[in-house]
Amino acid sequence: ETYLEIFPSSPHVWRRINLVVPEDDKVEHFYPFPGADISDKWNEHANDSEPEHTFNAPEGTERLFGNYSDSRGTACCVQAQVVAFNETKPFTVLIGIAHTKPYHHLPPSIRYSYVSFFYAFRAEPPFNILSKSAILCLGWPKEADDGFESQVFAYARENMKKATKHSAHTLKLLGIEYDCPRIHFPTGIVEKVGDPDTVVLSYGINDCLPRSILVPKKEILDLLFPSEDFTLK
């Protein structure tokens, strides 16, 4: 079977899709072109209530983001093996990264500020969420990045330094300025070819630049499973 993730969290929404069989009244026949049936009649939800984020966000952040109910999926998934404290055999979890923004009623200078978090869920229906990391932001390009000099998008090369230092493009929350772009948007998460312990995470910056970074999978798992409830395999 094939599954399509609709929303990553609060709640985790997914649907079964059929890309092959012309007529199947048990699952949606998904037509990948404009005009496809995108109604929610085929949607299904995870059963269990979702856990809290693994670390507390900075004090006052809940005033901006609430309970992250406006979270949106941007990239999924890589696999990992974990063992729950009350189980003996390892099982597979799928890991994605979602993003969220502050409430819509806030001023534009605040509401167009993006943060992300990793989430992990069981790899079989109903795909219950097991863990959500603390919110995080992803960094600016660096001159040491491979291909930096060939960057052809806006703010590249000579303009990059000015763009990265310009306060209007920098993430600020609750009076704190972070060394991150105000807008980052994860677009891909995959295992590095030949190295399943390393994750390639791709994201866009301020709607102008692409960037890909290498992240040890263990670092992501440590963000998701910091307690003794799970051990990693």
Side-chain angles (χ1 to χ4, degrees), residues 137 140 163-182:
C137 61
W140 294 103
T164 57
K165 297 301 181 183
H166 195 292
S167 61
H169 301 292
T170 300
L171 180 66
K172 294 180 181 178
L173 297 174
L174 302 172
I176 301 174
E177 183 171 306
Y178 296 88
D179 190 19
C180 299
R182 182 176 165 193

Side-chain angles (χ1 to χ4, degrees), residues 39-61:
S39 68
D40 61 3
K41 66 181 180 180
W42 300 102
N43 289 352
E44 301 186 54
H45 298 69
N47 290 338
D48 293 350
S49 58
E50 293 188 13
E52 297 293 328
H53 290 258
T54 52
F55 296 100
N56 292 330
E59 184 177 356
T61 307

Side-chain angles (χ1 to χ4, degrees), residues 179-195:
D179 190 19
C180 299
R182 182 176 165 193
I183 297 174
H184 76 269
F185 190 96
T187 56
I189 183 171
V190 296
E191 292 179 350
K192 182 181 177 182
V193 174
D195 182 6

Side-chain angles (χ1 to χ4, degrees), residues 121-133:
F121 57 95
R122 287 187 178 267
E124 66 281 333
F127 304 112
N128 290 331
I129 298 286
L130 296 174
S131 181
K132 296 182 290 188
S133 77

Side-chain angles (χ1 to χ4, degrees), residues 186-232:
T187 56
I189 183 171
V190 296
E191 292 179 350
K192 182 181 177 182
V193 174
D195 182 6
D197 293 328
T198 300
V199 170
V200 182
L201 181 60
S202 301
Y203 60 100
I205 296 173
N206 286 339
D207 294 336
C208 294
L209 290 167
R211 190 180 189 221
S212 294
I213 57 175
L214 299 179
V215 184
K217 187 182 290 184
K218 187 179 185 306
E219 289 189 9
I220 299 174
L221 291 169
D222 286 343
L223 292 173
L224 286 165
F225 301 105
S227 70
E228 297 179 355
D229 291 346
F230 294 88
T231 56
L232 310 178

